[in-house]
Amino acid sequence: MLNLNATAAQVPQEVARLDATTQRQLNANAAVLVRGLRQDLDMTTGEFATYVGLTPTLISSIEEVQINGSYALVADIAHRAGKRLNIEYR
């Protein structure tokens, strides 16, 4: 089990080297995680972006799977929101 508690610096190197299929799944998972976190906080995209210190465009792009997401990025967003991200890799 990988525990990503705060920042991109804590992401193991092997997670960064992904094939295309894995990257697509990662993008979809990132979208679900970010949207879920935002909705749990009962915030709009703009409110959430301000709360975590990022742009609404970035948050929307992640949620709409328009950019390559990463667990490092999601872990950073979770950390900014005062949450902890635990990832189980099987």
Side-chain angles (χ1 to χ4, degrees):
M1 183 163 153
L2 299 173
N3 289 312
L4 305 180
N5 298 320
T7 66
Q10 294 174 312
V11 178
Q13 292 259 334
E14 65 271 14
V15 175
R17 292 177 295 224
L18 303 171
D19 64 30
T21 301
T22 303
Q23 184 62 58
R24 283 190 297 275
Q25 185 61 52
L26 178 63
N27 294 345
N29 290 346
V32 169
L33 290 168
V34 170
R35 183 179 297 112
L37 178 57
R38 179 180 61 76
Q39 290 174 339
D40 284 349
L41 294 169
D42 196 29
M43 293 182 177
T44 66
T45 302
E47 291 168 338
F48 183 69
T50 299
Y51 182 70
V52 298
L54 299 170
T55 66
T57 302
L58 178 59
I59 299 301
S60 291
S61 294
I62 294 167
E63 289 187 9
E64 295 171 14
V65 195
Q66 295 177 343
I67 64 168
N68 280 343
S70 70
Y71 287 126
L73 177 59
V74 175
D76 184 52
I77 291 169
H79 175 71
R80 290 170 181 245
K83 302 292 182 181
R84 181 180 204 167
L85 177 66
N86 292 318
I87 300 169
E88 185 175 331
Y89 191 61
R90 299 179 195 198

